[in-house]
Amino acid sequence: MVSLHTADNTKKAFYSNWKSVGSANASGLLAALVVVTAILSVTTPYFFTAENGLNILRAVSFIGIAAAAATLVLVSGGIDLSMAATMALAGTVTGGLIEGGYPTIFAVIAGLLAGGIVGTINAVVIVGFGINPLIATIGTQFAARGAAYLVVDSREVFIMDPAFNWVGQATVFSFPVSGILMLLVFLFLGWLMRDTIFGRHIYAIGGTPNGSSALLSGVPVKRRQFQVYVFSGLISAVAGLLLSSYSNTATGYNAMGLELPILAAVILGGTALGGGRGTVWGTLAGVLLVGVIVNGLTLNNAPIAWVLVVQGAVLVIAVVVDDRRQTKYNK
């Protein structure tokens, strides 16, 4: 068996290699963000303002939180397409309980547990039964979305709870609380992935097919993969509660179609589809770039069809860039 000390040396070498790749990717995203901002600033006077900047931050906060969790999953070599549906389920569970007169804290805990249950089901199916994560999470996506509709009897629940709505709508010194929450999630996951044994393990698992080398190095591969999917469900639930808090509503339709911008942001941020590479800070840059593009199109009164076309194009570009980056990295 390869020693864990050897594995740690391998990881140090990985971080050294990835640092240069990540720096190049961050520079490219920064340049793209500057160019897009300059173009959109010319098209409408309402774009380049402090108020609109805070609006963008508020609007991308729940997408950013989900994207941070998606980064964790992709780095480990997996994928989770049930995140948006989990967001809707967490929101409807919490919104339905608040509407029913239950205490806010109880309703929030129930919503988080709903996300944890979806994550646990994903973990059992993928890790326990060895089902392909793409197929498995498509299945749980439909199941969670259906459950979200069932919980509120296919209604749109309006959440009139000042304490719950405060997180998604309030500001502290003009800074959105939702943005603060998103940054806290990124700080936590950034620390978890970079500075803990758990983080080193998921990079090692994602860096080789089926985590084979990591297993030989003594990494508890199945346990870590299980934990990653449970984490994904819980953090997706946090994003779903933030979305319901922001919009005052809980419905099975919430977060519909967000899988695309979430994945686009993560891949744009430098996370490899094949696993083993990526950082949450690259993902944050990707989230902001996608958010700026959507906001600019909206301010220019672009039809929703064109917004979807651009989002699809961004995802395709992200996949192509990832392929080129992977080819360069493997040389």
Side-chain angles (χ1 to χ4, degrees), residues 24 32 50 58 60 73 80 82 102 166 236 246 268 270 298:
R58 186 181 287 109
V60 303
V73 178
D80 186 356
S82 66
Y102 288 88
W166 181 85
S236 296
Y246 171 71
L268 275 175
T298 302

Side-chain angles (χ1 to χ4, degrees), residues 4 24 29 40 42 45 47 54 60-61 63 74 81 84 90 103 113 147 178 209 218 220 244 247 257 271 285-286 293:
L4 283 176
L29 279 178
L40 292 174
V42 173
F47 177 78
L54 294 176
V60 303
S61 57
I63 296 176
L74 284 177
L81 294 182
L113 284 175
S178 56
S244 290
S247 64
T271 299
I293 292 172

Side-chain angles (χ1 to χ4, degrees), residues 10-310:
T10 302
K11 291 315 299 168
K12 288 178 181 178
F14 161 79
Y15 282 124
S16 178
N17 291 336
W18 172 239
K19 184 177 180 181
S20 60
V21 178
S23 298
N25 183 71
S27 299
L29 279 178
L30 180 61
L33 190 58
V34 170
V35 171
V36 170
T37 300
I39 293 172
L40 292 174
S41 298
V42 173
T43 61
T44 171
Y46 304 107
F47 177 78
F48 197 67
T49 64
E51 181 180 1
N52 189 51
L54 294 176
N55 286 338
I56 293 173
L57 185 61
R58 186 181 287 109
V60 303
S61 57
F62 48 88
I63 296 176
I65 290 173
T71 306
L72 187 72
V73 178
L74 284 177
V75 166
S76 73
I79 192 169
D80 186 356
L81 294 182
S82 66
M83 300 182 73
T86 302
M87 290 169 64
L89 177 60
T92 55
V93 168
T94 298
L97 288 173
I98 290 176
E99 184 187 48
Y102 288 88
T104 302
I105 186 64
F106 176 82
V108 168
I109 291 173
L112 294 175
L113 284 175
I117 289 171
V118 175
T120 302
I121 292 172
N122 282 334
V124 169
V125 173
I126 295 166
V127 182
F129 292 99
I131 304 301
N132 183 286
L134 180 66
I135 303 302
T137 58
I138 287 176
T140 50
Q141 174 192 40
F142 282 107
R145 181 70 65 181
Y149 278 109
L150 289 172
V151 165
V152 291
D153 198 24
S154 298
R155 297 180 300 115
E156 183 176 17
V157 174
F158 294 95
I159 306 174
M160 308 305 292
D161 184 324
F164 180 76
N165 295 337
W166 181 85
V167 178
Q169 301 175 16
T171 59
V172 175
F173 300 111
S174 300
F175 199 86
V177 173
S178 56
I180 295 173
L181 178 60
M182 180 184 73
L183 291 175
L184 288 174
V185 170
F186 272 88
L187 284 169
F188 170 70
L189 288 183
W191 166 79
L192 188 72
M193 294 174 68
R194 176 72 194 192
D195 299 319
T196 69
I197 293 175
F198 174 87
R200 291 195 292 273
H201 284 177
I202 66 167
Y203 277 108
I205 293 168
T208 57
N210 301 316
S212 53
S213 295
L215 186 62
L216 291 174
S217 300
V219 174
V221 173
K222 287 193 174 183
R223 187 198 311 167
R224 294 302 186 217
Q225 290 173 327
F226 196 100
Q227 292 166 339
V228 162
Y229 282 104
V230 174
F231 259 126
S232 179
L234 286 170
I235 298 173
S236 296
V238 172
L241 296 182
L242 185 59
L243 173 58
S244 290
S245 174
Y246 171 71
S247 64
N248 277 4
T249 60
T251 171
Y253 188 79
N254 269 9
M256 184 73 77
L258 281 188
E259 297 88 354
L260 189 153
I262 289 171
L263 283 175
V266 175
I267 300 168
L268 275 175
T271 299
L273 276 170
R277 293 188 290 114
T279 67
V280 292
W281 302 114
T283 293
L284 180 58
V287 166
L288 292 175
L289 179 59
V290 173
V292 164
I293 292 172
V294 172
N295 175 266
L297 291 173
T298 302
L299 288 179
N300 280 283
N301 298 314
I304 185 62
W306 279 108
V307 175
L308 294 174
V309 166
V310 171

